Amino acid sequence: MAEPEVSSAASAGGWRLRNAFGGVLCAFTLLLIGVLAFSIRLFSVIKYESVIHEFDPYFNFRVTQFLSKNGIYEFWNWFDDRTWYPLGRVIGGTVYPGLTLTAGTIWWLLNSLNIPLSVETVCVFTAPIFSANASWATYLLTKEAKGTGAGLMAAAILAMVPSYISRSVAGSYDNEAVAIFALIFTFYLYVKTLNTGSLFYATLNALSYFYMVCSWGGYTFIINLIPMHVLLCIVTGRYSSRLYIAYAPLVILGTLLAALVPVVGFNAVMTSEHFASFLVFIILHVVALVYYIKGLLTPRLFKVAMTFVITVGLTYASKYIPIIASVSEHQPPTWPSYFMDINVLAFLIPAGIISCFLPLSDASSFMVLYLVTAVYFSGVMVRLMLVLAPAACILSGIALSAAFDVLTRSIKFQLSKLFDDSPAASGDSSPESSSAGTVNTNSTKSESRTEKSETAPKEKPSKKNRKKEKEVAESVPVRPKKEKRLLVLPFELSVMGILLLIVLGGFYVVHCVWAAAEAYSAPSIVLTSRNRDGLHVFDDFREAYGWLSHNTDVDDKVASWWDYGYQTTAMANRTVIVDNNTWNNTHIATVGTAMSSPEKAAWEIFNSLDVKYVLVVFGGLVGYPSDDINKFLWMVRIGGGVFPHIKEADYLRDGNYRVDAQATPTMLNCLMYKLCYYRFVETDGKGYDRVRGYEIGKKHFKLTHFEEVFTTHHWMVRIYKLKPQKNRVRGKLKKLKSNSKTSSTLAAGQKKNPWQ
Amino acid sequence: MAPAPARHLLLLLPLLLAAAPAGADDLVAELQSLRARSPSGVIHLTDTSVTRFLSAPASRRPYSVLLFFDAAALHSKPDLHLPQLRTEFALLAASFHDRNPGSGDLFFADIEFAESQHSFHQFGVNSLPHVRLIRPEHSTLAGSEQMDQSHFGRLADSMAEFVESRTGLEVGPIVRPPLLSRNQIILLGILFLISIPFAIKRVIEGETLLHDRRVWMAGALFVYFFSVSGGMYGIIRHTPMFLTDRSDPDKLVFFYQGSGMQLGAEGFAVGFLYTLVGLMIAGVTHLLVKVESLQTQRFAMMAVIAIGWWAVRKVIFLDNWKTGYSIHTFWPSSWRIWNHPH
């Protein structure tokens, strides 16, 4: 009697030690994954500099600056008069505040700890920090479904998935940076609630959902995916009280919280994206009630639920799927996009799907549903590849973990067989998938490090809350009990298989690093080009914005195409007419019309808007293709959409857009052409445009209503000032010239005259 | 001053009327008979009939003709949508004749490039899709009015608007044939009714397809396969499965170089490779371990490794070829001797 006790005590000790070791190793691995996720996104800082990227991030940066300077209440009520002149814009009520508040909080926290970082630095590094958070959240989520090994694998994969890197490199300070973390974390809490049935996690889930709503418009994906999963569970007969606890509080609390965000407001209950969640909420209650009353009559329940669900599902599908499929403005991706953005994960996902079905639990069914919806939507619209990335990582992690599990097990037990033929080895033939109580006496034997980290911590959660996770754990050990034979593969081929999987993983790492370094790190505010002479840096944008902020009056209005609105307000601190928040089409059309009009008409339009300076972006000298001449047709189209006297056909010669000698007179006389190509011929004597690849049509001309005030080093940005209005009466012009100094007082005096 | 020109016109009118009847009635009758012979009501014109019906002086043709310029050689070009526009044009014609039976005011006609190149030249048509309205007052063929691109946008409906606004004739609602014919609907209805009792029985027993895990699994895998192969791209952009080579019409092009566009076949081929590798990995990890025979395991694994290796390499090769990216590693610069310059 004594002996077993001793052995069990010893084994319990060994088990605890092993567990602790595994826990430490796991934590250490997670730390490294976090470091990896952070550092792979620093290529943009290393190759360029610590700078905010592109267009929208500049707006977010400006809002964060305002928040850190003026505090949360001022921010909430902020009416911005520096943009959309003369209309202005209510910022507090029209932005998703999650990102700004997050970065503002980080900045405030660091400052109160006496770490004096600038707001810009915090903003630049917010995205990498949250990528590390996202990979930890992925670990938690995957662990809920398939255990620690899969969790670590998925976290490592997510840390460097190119699709996510593209939106979260250092400096890419946009909503998606924090939203992907919020998305994964919300899913984790949902699955956790589903597994435990704990109201605590359900409440956290609602809060996490609130954070997601604050951060990104993509929250509608969550509020549709989770109801779909609930519906799926009901349809397949997996209803349980845990499902109820996971879903009902989320809908009630989540909707109430979402309505608190000004930009969402009553949309949370009044728009069709949210109806599915309420519908499922009702169905869930009906089902719950039926279960409660007629617990024994399950077959009949199925009939009720099935008819309900089938009718609802069919109407829903028939109503929405054609809409999604028919919208052709969406950009569907081609197959290379998948290979670029998720790379070899595309090979692993099917294996992950199958692993999730063997055995199917609530959590793993959620993973499959997440993947299937995300992959479908990403197929419709390439931007949603970002939502697919976490799902792809999770399922690939599951697949890789399952494959490594089988292969290392095969190696391990056949290796031990090679060394000694003792039957002890086969005694614990299934340690990987065995239940918590089994003790592995072979722990000292040669086994790979990865395996240790995989096996040990897996047992930990089931001890911690054994009762709660019983249902999850139960499904796992069924298989090994039935089969006594060792589930192994041939030794030498297993080794080869592992090597190949490692090669595959290596290729993935190479691809991700390459994508991070070469494809996704350009800040687009500083451009570089590499040729035989070495590296060329084009810093014209900041040169121009710097000029504006130093040489113009604070209240001067600057007109440009809307692409440059955010940057002008953030970097030059000047009022703009239109910006990237394209909420007022008429206003944009006004600017488009001005750009497409002849000089005099354009001057009148701009003058009526109090514009002092006009900014154009011109790439013809250095070959920068996304300049205003290439965007010009859009200005014409948008302008013509509101002001019909602008006709696209007037700017096209035989349907072709060109600015060379064959261009139409309307094109050659419009403001955009003149502002871009003014004095251009002086650069090389011929006026050869490097973007369009030909000589321009009209080379020598003068400006009558505008004057050039600044052109940047590479001519990429040109700034013009509106000439002051000419006096109408010719005779008086001479008079005024003679005493021009007193002209302003004269005008003032004239005004006063009638009163005296 | 004003009445003078009017009086001149009044004087001219009888002259015109006198000149017209000589051929006008014949031409209208001939067109009507041609229309009756064509199933859709669209008259097929050739170079000779264009001269006969359209080049005639305005006085001899009191009718308008809406002419669709077709080219059989370009039907395979997906971005032109010629076949689709042609059927829409036929729908428009049919709808017009339903509304105005026996009308002699407006005729619908089409003309094919290969057999009537001369007419294309006369009209000055050098790009398709192209639709022209030749009204009685148009004296030359090239002077007739071209239908704007925007009028193709909503297909037959927008074409009808164009016709109504230019001719003042009423086209009426476009009558589209139903998606399924009446018999098919009845057949489907009967099948559905028959299946109801069986379905109810299965539902009550709880063994519908919805309760079968394998169905869900297959569905998930199919959605994955379809999306990853860019199937939605094919649907939304109407890309064909393959193209014919321009220089050599017998040769088919399955793979399109350039990452902005893809053909159906190449997408499905690559999607198949993606899915295949995944399925093989799953097969090894979940199925093959349960096989008892060591020999089978060995062979299967060897096959999986070989096919997997080939498939992954193939996809990588195709991707590099299509996109033109050259993915390279970053080694420490002190190792640069082995590294190829980039």
Side-chain angles (χ1 to χ4, degrees):
Chain A
M1 289 302 284
E3 239 183 65
E5 263 178 29
V6 171
S7 75
S8 72
S11 65
W15 173 72
R16 209 171 291 149
L17 192 72
R18 214 175 113 81
N19 219 350
F21 181 68
V24 169
L25 196 63
C26 174
F28 185 66
T29 315
L30 278 176
L31 188 75
L32 284 183
I33 288 172
V35 171
L36 170 68
F38 183 84
S39 53
I40 200 172
R41 287 165 170 81
L42 297 186
F43 276 108
S44 58
V45 174
I46 294 165
K47 288 185 72 177
Y48 298 88
E49 59 186 295
S50 174
V51 66
I52 308 272
H53 290 193
E54 301 201 313
F55 304 107
D56 286 20
Y58 269 97
F59 170 75
N60 298 324
F61 168 52
R62 182 159 161 262
V63 176
T64 316
Q65 265 184 326
F66 185 89
L67 171 73
S68 56
K69 204 183 278 174
N70 299 310
I72 177 104
Y73 288 104
E74 285 293 314
F75 160 67
W76 214 247
N77 296 322
W78 184 19
F79 177 79
D80 184 12
D81 57 1
R82 298 248 122 191
T83 179
W84 292 98
Y85 182 84
L87 307 167
R89 177 187 170 195
V90 183
I91 301 270
T94 56
V95 293
Y96 285 100
L99 174 76
T100 322
L101 290 177
T102 309
T105 314
I106 295 176
W107 178 81
W108 173 81
L109 207 70
L110 288 172
N111 267 290
S112 51
L113 291 172
N114 290 325
I115 305 174
L117 288 180
S118 69
V119 178
E120 188 180 0
T121 313
V122 173
C123 291
V124 166
F125 292 102
T126 300
I129 291 172
F130 270 80
S131 310
N133 290 347
S135 52
W136 291 329
T138 309
Y139 163 74
L140 292 173
L141 173 58
T142 319
K143 199 184 90 176
E144 282 306 311
K146 282 283 170 184
T148 316
L152 285 174
M153 206 72 225
I157 292 173
L158 184 105
M160 49 187 169
V161 66
S163 168
Y164 185 28
I165 288 180
S166 70
R167 298 305 187 86
S168 65
V169 292
S172 172
Y173 180 56
D174 213 345
N175 290 335
E176 290 93 332
V178 297
I180 293 301
F181 159 71
L183 181 89
I184 301 171
F185 199 64
T186 310
F187 286 153
Y188 158 65
L189 286 170
Y190 170 70
V191 172
K192 183 84 182 170
T193 322
L194 202 57
N195 280 344
T196 59
S198 141
L199 261 178
F200 171 70
Y201 285 113
T203 318
L204 281 188
N205 188 18
L207 288 175
S208 169
Y209 172 65
F210 174 56
Y211 183 63
M212 177 71 192
V213 177
C214 281
S215 306
W216 195 33
Y219 75 89
T220 44
F221 182 68
I222 296 185
I223 205 61
N224 282 299
L225 181 65
I226 291 183
M228 269 170 77
H229 180 246
V230 172
L231 202 64
L232 187 82
C233 283
I234 294 173
V235 170
T236 51
R238 303 183 77 96
Y239 171 81
S240 64
S241 57
R242 290 174 291 111
L243 187 70
Y244 185 88
I245 291 170
Y247 187 64
L250 174 70
V251 170
I252 299 294
L253 281 178
T255 307
L256 285 176
L257 287 169
L260 289 180
V261 183
V263 64
V264 178
F266 278 102
N267 285 349
V269 283
M270 288 172 64
T271 53
S272 55
E273 299 102 271
H274 303 82
F275 287 166
S277 65
F278 301 128
L279 194 71
V280 172
F281 186 69
I282 295 167
I283 295 174
L284 184 71
H285 277 88
V286 171
V287 172
L289 193 73
V290 173
Y291 261 96
Y292 182 69
I293 298 171
K294 303 178 178 177
L296 295 171
L297 299 175
T298 38
R300 192 171 293 177
L301 162 87
F302 275 134
K303 206 167 90 187
V304 175
M306 287 298 289
T307 44
F308 225 117
V309 158
I310 286 174
T311 49
V312 166
L314 283 182
T315 47
Y316 191 79
S318 62
K319 206 174 163 190
Y320 285 96
I321 289 172
I323 293 179
I324 292 161
S326 69
V327 180
S328 53
E329 294 100 77
H330 292 162
Q331 293 200 320
T334 52
W335 68 263
S337 325
Y338 283 96
F339 200 70
M340 180 68 197
D341 275 0
I342 57 174
N343 201 243
V344 301
L345 305 189
F347 293 116
L348 298 170
I349 291 167
I353 293 176
I354 290 173
S355 282
C356 278
F357 277 97
L358 304 166
L360 190 70
S361 66
D362 291 346
S364 65
S365 68
F366 180 74
M367 301 303 165
V368 174
L369 188 68
Y370 176 23
L371 177 97
V372 167
T373 45
V375 83
Y376 171 76
F377 284 116
S378 75
V380 175
M381 196 170 163
V382 70
R383 272 187 62 190
L384 293 174
M385 201 75 98
L386 188 63
V387 177
L388 168 68
C393 293
I394 291 167
L395 284 169
S396 314
I398 291 170
L400 266 187
S401 159
F404 274 130
D405 197 14
V406 167
L407 294 176
T408 49
R409 187 205 307 158
S410 317
I411 294 173
K412 178 177 149 192
F413 290 108
Q414 286 171 82
L415 207 62
S416 61
K417 248 189 215 165
L418 287 181
F419 284 134
D420 54 349
D421 249 22
S422 66
S426 59
D428 38 52
S429 57
S430 52
E432 262 61 59
S433 45
S434 65
S435 58
T438 320
V439 179
N440 194 342
T441 50
N442 284 353
S443 59
T444 50
K445 279 188 180 163
S446 58
E447 47 186 2
S448 65
R449 274 179 67 181
T450 46
E451 201 188 342
K452 256 186 190 172
S453 67
E454 270 176 35
T455 51
K458 197 184 267 182
E459 295 155 3
K460 199 174 146 196
S462 44
K463 194 210 169 193
K464 243 185 178 175
N465 35 22
R466 199 177 292 156
K467 265 185 203 165
K468 288 175 181 171
E469 294 207 342
K470 214 174 186 178
E471 279 146 306
V472 189
E474 253 177 15
S475 53
V476 181
V478 173
R479 187 165 48 107
K481 271 179 192 167
K482 281 180 190 164
E483 295 155 24
K484 293 192 172 168
R485 203 182 61 84
L486 224 63
L487 288 178
V488 291
L489 293 167
F491 175 73
E492 62 284 353
L493 284 168
S494 303
V495 174
M496 206 168 152
I498 283 199
L499 284 178
L500 282 181
L501 282 181
I502 289 172
V503 168
L504 196 70
F507 179 77
Y508 175 69
V509 173
V510 167
H511 177 90
C512 294
V513 172
W514 173 83
E518 301 281 324
Y520 293 137
S521 282
S524 89
I525 190 88
V526 188
L527 307 163
T528 57
S529 83
R530 197 188 289 271
N531 59 8
R532 277 180 221 106
D533 314 338
L535 194 71
H536 286 269
V537 178
F538 303 98
D539 203 0
D540 288 38
F541 287 106
R542 289 192 294 182
E543 189 186 346
Y545 296 131
W547 186 90
L548 275 177
S549 77
H550 286 107
N551 296 287
T552 58
D553 192 65
V554 171
D555 288 325
D556 282 344
K557 279 80 184 166
V558 180
S560 65
W561 189 234
W562 59 261
D563 291 16
Y564 315 104
Y566 278 166
Q567 292 180 349
T568 311
T569 41
M571 282 197 271
N573 191 24
R574 292 296 172 267
T575 309
V576 295
I577 308 298
V578 289
D579 69 22
N580 310 46
N581 177 269
T582 51
W583 66 274
N584 187 328
N585 192 39
T586 316
H587 226 51
I588 293 180
T590 310
V591 174
T593 307
M595 294 294 191
S596 348
S597 304
E599 233 182 298
K600 185 160 186 285
W603 186 90
E604 275 159 12
I605 294 172
F606 280 141
N607 192 47
S608 72
L609 287 167
D610 286 354
V611 170
K612 269 271 182 62
Y613 296 93
V614 181
L615 179 151
V616 292
V617 172
F618 171 62
L621 187 69
V622 288
Y624 170 62
S626 50
D627 65 349
D628 277 348
I629 289 288
N630 272 2
K631 291 173 186 170
F632 182 61
L633 268 194
W634 283 106
M635 305 185 199
V636 172
R637 279 174 202 151
I638 294 172
V642 178
F643 303 100
H645 68 276
I646 302 287
K647 290 188 194 68
E648 191 181 338
D650 295 344
Y651 298 84
L652 303 176
R653 173 76 70 193
D654 298 331
N656 289 324
Y657 176 62
R658 53 203 312 163
V659 291
D660 59 357
Q662 293 181 33
T664 59
T666 324
M667 179 71 222
L668 295 179
N669 276 318
C670 74
L671 183 70
M672 181 51 76
Y673 179 87
K674 286 194 166 178
L675 296 192
C676 282
Y677 292 114
Y678 179 60
R679 294 199 306 113
F680 181 54
V681 71
E682 293 168 23
T683 54
D684 61 349
K686 287 185 294 186
Y688 182 80
D689 186 321
R690 289 208 192 170
V691 176
R692 267 59 63 175
Y694 44 65
E695 286 180 25
I696 57 170
K698 196 169 159 187
K699 295 173 185 173
H700 303 278
F701 54 86
K702 282 191 175 145
L703 295 176
T704 53
H705 291 72
F706 293 83
E707 58 179 325
E708 185 186 3
V709 286
F710 186 68
T711 295
T712 55
H713 186 67
H714 300 99
W715 284 51
M716 281 171 63
V717 185
R718 311 193 68 183
I719 301 170
Y720 293 83
K721 190 178 184 180
L722 272 73
K723 281 186 182 167
Q725 198 161 18
K726 270 182 193 160
N727 211 317
R728 279 184 192 164
V729 188
R730 289 229 164 183
K732 278 194 176 178
L733 199 67
K734 282 175 191 169
K735 235 187 207 176
L736 281 175
K737 259 186 186 172
S738 60
N739 50 4
S740 58
K741 278 179 193 170
T742 55
S743 65
S744 59
T745 52
L746 188 77
Q750 274 173 349
K751 254 185 190 172
K752 276 178 188 171
N753 266 346
W755 299 98
Q756 283 174 344
Chain B
M1 293 300 281
R7 199 175 300 153
H8 279 295
L9 274 182
L10 280 177
L11 282 174
L12 274 172
L13 208 59
L15 282 175
L16 282 174
L17 287 173
D25 283 346
D26 296 348
L27 285 180
V28 169
E30 204 175 331
L31 278 170
Q32 275 167 339
S33 76
L34 276 175
R35 181 170 72 195
R37 254 181 276 157
S38 142
S40 60
V42 178
I43 303 160
H44 188 73
L45 293 183
T46 55
D47 278 342
T48 45
S49 46
V50 164
T51 2
R52 183 167 168 69
F53 294 119
L54 295 177
S55 305
S59 52
R60 287 185 53 213
R61 45 182 176 92
Y63 46 82
S64 303
V65 174
L66 190 68
L67 188 54
F68 182 87
F69 292 83
D70 201 1
L74 296 178
H75 277 204
S76 57
K77 285 236 175 160
D79 44 335
L80 294 182
H81 305 292
L82 275 182
Q84 191 197 5
L85 286 171
R86 178 64 183 74
T87 47
E88 289 291 320
F89 188 75
L91 271 180
L92 177 71
S95 307
F96 179 79
H97 297 313
D98 279 358
R99 184 84 177 185
N100 315 300
S103 160
D105 296 326
L106 176 64
F107 293 94
F108 294 84
D110 70 346
I111 186 164
E112 211 282 324
F113 179 68
E115 49 182 51
S116 320
Q117 293 195 9
H118 179 65
S119 303
F120 270 66
H121 183 68
Q122 272 188 312
F123 279 105
V125 176
N126 46 24
S127 72
L128 292 182
H130 196 109
V131 177
R132 258 174 196 279
L133 180 68
I134 301 104
R135 276 183 290 168
E137 59 263 35
H138 292 141
S139 50
T140 60
L141 290 182
S144 56
E145 190 174 4
Q146 180 188 352
M147 190 189 281
D148 199 39
Q149 276 289 335
S150 62
H151 286 103
F152 300 139
R154 283 180 300 113
L155 305 172
D157 302 88
S158 46
M159 290 192 212
E161 277 170 24
F162 172 81
V163 170
E164 284 177 352
S165 69
R166 297 305 192 285
T167 59
L169 297 167
E170 208 168 318
V171 178
I174 302 294
V175 189
R176 286 173 192 280
L179 205 62
L180 295 170
S181 73
R182 204 171 59 98
N183 289 344
Q184 280 169 320
I185 290 174
I186 292 171
L187 190 70
L188 283 178
I190 292 171
L191 281 179
F192 180 70
L193 285 178
I194 293 172
S195 64
I196 282 179
F198 294 98
I200 289 176
K201 184 164 171 274
R202 298 293 294 276
V203 168
I204 291 172
E205 285 170 357
E207 7 169 300
T208 51
L209 285 177
L210 290 177
H211 293 84
D212 192 344
R213 234 191 282 146
R214 277 165 300 179
V215 174
W216 288 102
M217 188 152 81
L221 286 172
F222 176 74
V223 172
Y224 176 77
F225 161 74
F226 189 74
S227 300
V228 170
S229 28
M232 291 308 293
Y233 182 91
I235 291 175
I236 293 176
R237 292 284 151 88
H238 307 288
T239 49
M241 289 305 269
F242 51 81
L243 295 173
T244 45
D245 200 335
R246 240 177 236 166
S247 50
D248 180 8
D250 296 332
K251 227 172 98 186
L252 297 178
V253 178
F254 287 101
F255 283 84
Y256 182 91
Q257 196 164 11
S259 59
M261 217 274 265
Q262 77 164 41
L263 300 173
E266 66 170 298
F268 288 120
V270 176
F272 171 72
L273 290 183
Y274 283 149
T275 320
L276 175 75
V277 175
L279 288 180
M280 288 193 313
I281 293 175
V284 169
T285 42
H286 299 291
L287 213 65
L288 201 61
V289 280
K290 292 180 191 165
V291 174
E292 299 213 359
S293 149
L294 197 67
Q295 214 57 29
T296 323
Q297 280 190 332
R298 213 160 254 156
F299 274 118
M301 265 198 91
M302 257 150 55
V304 163
I305 286 174
I307 297 172
W309 177 257
W310 171 81
V312 173
R313 281 200 51 154
K314 194 81 197 159
V315 171
I316 292 172
F317 165 76
L318 280 173
D319 181 66
N320 286 345
W321 171 79
K322 191 174 172 73
T323 58
Y325 293 138
S326 61
I327 295 158
H328 55 79
T329 49
F330 294 87
W331 299 109
S333 41
S334 55
W335 300 2
R336 192 150 284 235
I337 318 143
W338 306 327
N339 192 13
H340 60 89
H342 50 258

